[in-house]
């Protein structure tokens, strides 16, 4: 009796397995392939093709070996979406007994997704759900809905490119997507995660839909975006030629009403460089922003972009246009009495260089600049003013050739700057400074202009009024004043000061006072003045 019970129990346990193994013998899964292809093609308005179908009763799914979703003909013939395997979760009882296909879920393994954006701003996925006939100008406002409880994409790879093709497309690897309660006609929740080049990671979650039947790119959504260890150059977001780089993190809220995309968030940037030729900022910098982007015009308004480090905040506002996939912007930078001590981290990032071993301490910076152009070809025009700061670690007195013999300038290892201001114009051809005015107590008042080449070579010409200099001894001041005022060759523009030239580089400047030039004037007059000055006969 006990043996019989064991046999019955064993048979009962094995029966489901036997049935599951036997069902595929009586159900030809491939008979459902035209139905699945037809439904997917109708929902996506793209030709969808599947490979051989098999039935997995234990998993409750149909399995297709290959999946391909056609491309919009305007973007080429290569499939928009391909995958090696597609699992279609179905209700087994209706399938087996009534040959009725009721889909519960889709699971896609290792798909390859190719996203392309045309010069006019349209995407190759824009025509999903409304037809691919470019000659058909009438588009349906309703969709052949295909509601599914869950859609999952595992270990995908998405490549995003622009036309004309750029050198570095954006690549998202290990892509994972999960859509719940999917429906073309209503909003549904989703999560997305992917890896970026350079060990970056991106996570997006929120809701999307209903899908816009006119253009899928205008679908409404509300999302939260987090990116870790972002390298925008390696990820393809920034052209390497722009000279902009960083390793950063992003925490942002991005939402679209189908007309405008609003975004606000914060970027935590390390090793930040904002200008070609700049050096990485030594400390992290936070950049908060608020942007509104118009989907129709492919342009936007930067209502506020704030660079924050320490107690400072530098604001940038303006607008941009994504013309032919190249950002063109017109921005305004404004800084008012910003403490220089807190600027130390940001100065290298924007290309500000100081003599080797020197730092600025104390004082404030005010700046007003306009920035127009593209990331690789722009013009920066404006003015700056520095007040009450010190250049610590730089002995100006020992650096000015031509004055040392007259008693030198006593600055020690610190050069005090009461004020320094100028108008500046920066292009890819270098920078030009005009209307330079500075007051260094050790040297006096200086005015002039100069240029910096793309390689960093300095070429500045100043006139210094040493009569107010505190660094020169009295004999030196009097002598330079007399030399200047008696030179027969002195021009009106130089007759009130000593010509000073600055060459070399910002890190290794070469400063020369043209005392010899003054002495090439009327030698007899100079000799007479020197006799009076020193009380001797020459």
């Amino acid at each position: 009796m006990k043996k019989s019970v064991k046999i019955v129990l064993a048979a009962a346990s094995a029966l489901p397995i036997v049935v599951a193994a036997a069902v595929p013998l009586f159900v030809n899964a491939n008979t459902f392939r035209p139905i699945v292809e037809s439904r997917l093609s109708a929902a996506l308005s793209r030709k969808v093709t599947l490979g051989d179908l098999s039935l997995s009763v234990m998993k409750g799914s149909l399995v297709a070996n290959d999946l391909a979703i056609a491309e919009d003909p305007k973007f080429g013939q290569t499939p928009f979406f391909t995958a090696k395997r597609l699992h279609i979760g179905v209700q087994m009882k209706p399938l087996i007994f009534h040959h009725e296909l009721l889909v519960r879920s889709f699971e896609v393994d290792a798909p390859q997704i190719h996203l392309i954006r045309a010069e006019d701003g349209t995407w190759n996925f824009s025509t999903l759900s409304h037809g691919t006939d470019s000659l058909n100008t009438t588009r349906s406002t309703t969709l052949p809905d295909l509601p599914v409880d869950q859609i999952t994409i595992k270990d995908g790879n998405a490549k995003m490119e622009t036309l004309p093709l750029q050198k570095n497309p954006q690549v998202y690897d290990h892509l994972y997507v999960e859509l719940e309660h999917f429906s073309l006609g209503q909003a549904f929740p989703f999560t997305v995660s992917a890896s970026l080049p350079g060990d970056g990671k991106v996570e997006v979650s929120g809701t999307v839909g209903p899908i816009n039947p006119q253009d899928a790119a205008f679908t409404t959504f509300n999302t939260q975006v987090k990116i870790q260890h972002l390298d925008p150059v390696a990820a393809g977001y920034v052209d390497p030629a722009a000279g902009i780089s960083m390793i950063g993190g992003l925490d942002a809220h991005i939402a679209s009403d189908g007309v405008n995309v609003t975004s606000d968030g914060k970027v935590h940037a390390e090793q930040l460089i904002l200008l070609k030729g700049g050096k990485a900022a030594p400390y992290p910098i936070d950049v908060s922003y608020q942007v509104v982007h118009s989907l129709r015009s492919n342009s936007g308004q930067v209502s506020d972009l704030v660079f924050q480090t320490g107690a400072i905040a530098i604001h940038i506002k303006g607008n941009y246009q994504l013309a032919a996939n190249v950002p063109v912007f017109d921005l305004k930078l404004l800084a008012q009495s910003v403490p220089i001590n807190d600027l130390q981290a940001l100065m290298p990032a924007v290309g500000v260089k100081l003599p080797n071993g020197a730092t600025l301490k104390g004082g404030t910076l005010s700046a007003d600049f306009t920035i127009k152009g593209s990331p690789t070809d722009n013009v920066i025009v404006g003015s700056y003013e520095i007040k009450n700061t010190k250049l610590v670690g730089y002995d100006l007195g020992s650096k000015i050739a031509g004055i040392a013999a007259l008693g030198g300038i006593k600055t020690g290892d610190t050069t005090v700057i009461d004020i320094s201001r100028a108008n500046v114009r920066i292009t890819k051809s270098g920078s030009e400074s005009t209307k330079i005015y500075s007051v260094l107590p050790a040297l006096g008042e200086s005015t002039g202009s100069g240029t910096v080449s793309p390689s960093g070579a300095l070429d500045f010409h100043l006139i210094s009024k040493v009569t107010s200099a505190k660094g020169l001894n009295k004999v030196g001041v009097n002598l330079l004043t007399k030399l200047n005022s008696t030179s027969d060759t002195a021009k009106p523009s130089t007759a009130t000061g000593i010509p000073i030239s600055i060459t070399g580089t910002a890190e290794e400047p070469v400063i020369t006072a043209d005392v010899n030039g003054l002495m090439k004037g009327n030698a007899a007059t100079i000799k007479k003045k020197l006799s009076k000055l020193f009380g001797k006969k020459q």
Side-chain angles (χ1 to χ4, degrees), residues 323-444:
N325 295 309
V326 177
V328 178
F329 42 75
D330 185 352
L331 304 172
K332 183 83 169 179
L333 181 150
L334 185 64
Q336 294 182 327
S337 300
V338 175
I340 286 179
N341 287 348
D342 292 327
L343 273 175
Q344 296 295 325
L346 190 57
M347 288 168 59
V350 295
V352 175
K353 300 176 182 179
L354 299 175
N356 290 331
T359 58
L360 287 172
K361 289 189 177 180
T364 60
L365 166 72
S366 296
D368 188 347
F369 287 100
T370 59
I371 308 169
K372 296 182 179 181
S374 69
T376 57
D377 187 7
N378 55 72
V379 178
I380 303 173
V381 178
S383 61
Y384 72 87
E385 183 177 76
I386 296 173
K387 288 184 176 181
N388 303 319
T389 190
K390 297 177 181 179
L391 187 61
V392 179
Y394 187 73
D395 182 4
L396 178 64
S398 65
K399 303 297 183 181
I400 303 181
I403 298 183
L406 302 176
I409 297 179
K410 297 179 176 61
T411 60
D413 67 347
T414 298
T415 301
V416 176
I417 303 173
D418 286 349
I419 189 170
S420 178
R421 62 173 178 255
N423 294 340
V424 179
R425 188 175 190 272
I426 304 172
T427 68
K428 63 181 181 181
S429 299
S431 69
E432 179 183 7
S433 298
T434 58
K435 296 185 178 180
I436 296 174
Y437 175 78
S438 64
V439 177
L440 282 63
L443 187 60

Side-chain angles (χ1 to χ4, degrees), residues 133-155:
D133 185 359
S134 61
L135 299 178
N136 183 10
T137 57
T138 61
R139 298 175 179 175
S140 173
T141 57
T142 60
L143 300 173
D145 203 1
L146 182 64
V148 180
D149 287 343
Q150 188 174 48
I151 297 177
T152 306
I153 294 175
K154 295 182 177 180
D155 198 24

Side-chain angles (χ1 to χ4, degrees), residues 308-328:
Q308 297 173 312
T309 176
I312 74 164
I314 298 177
H315 296 263
I316 295 179
K317 299 181 180 181
N319 53 71
Y320 63 87
Q321 175 75 50
L322 299 181
N325 295 309
V326 177
V328 178

Side-chain angles (χ1 to χ4, degrees), residues 446-465:
S446 299
T447 57
S449 61
T451 62
V452 182
S453 73
S455 63
L458 306 179
D459 185 13
F460 282 78
H461 301 277
L462 307 175
I463 299 298
S464 180
K465 297 180 180 179

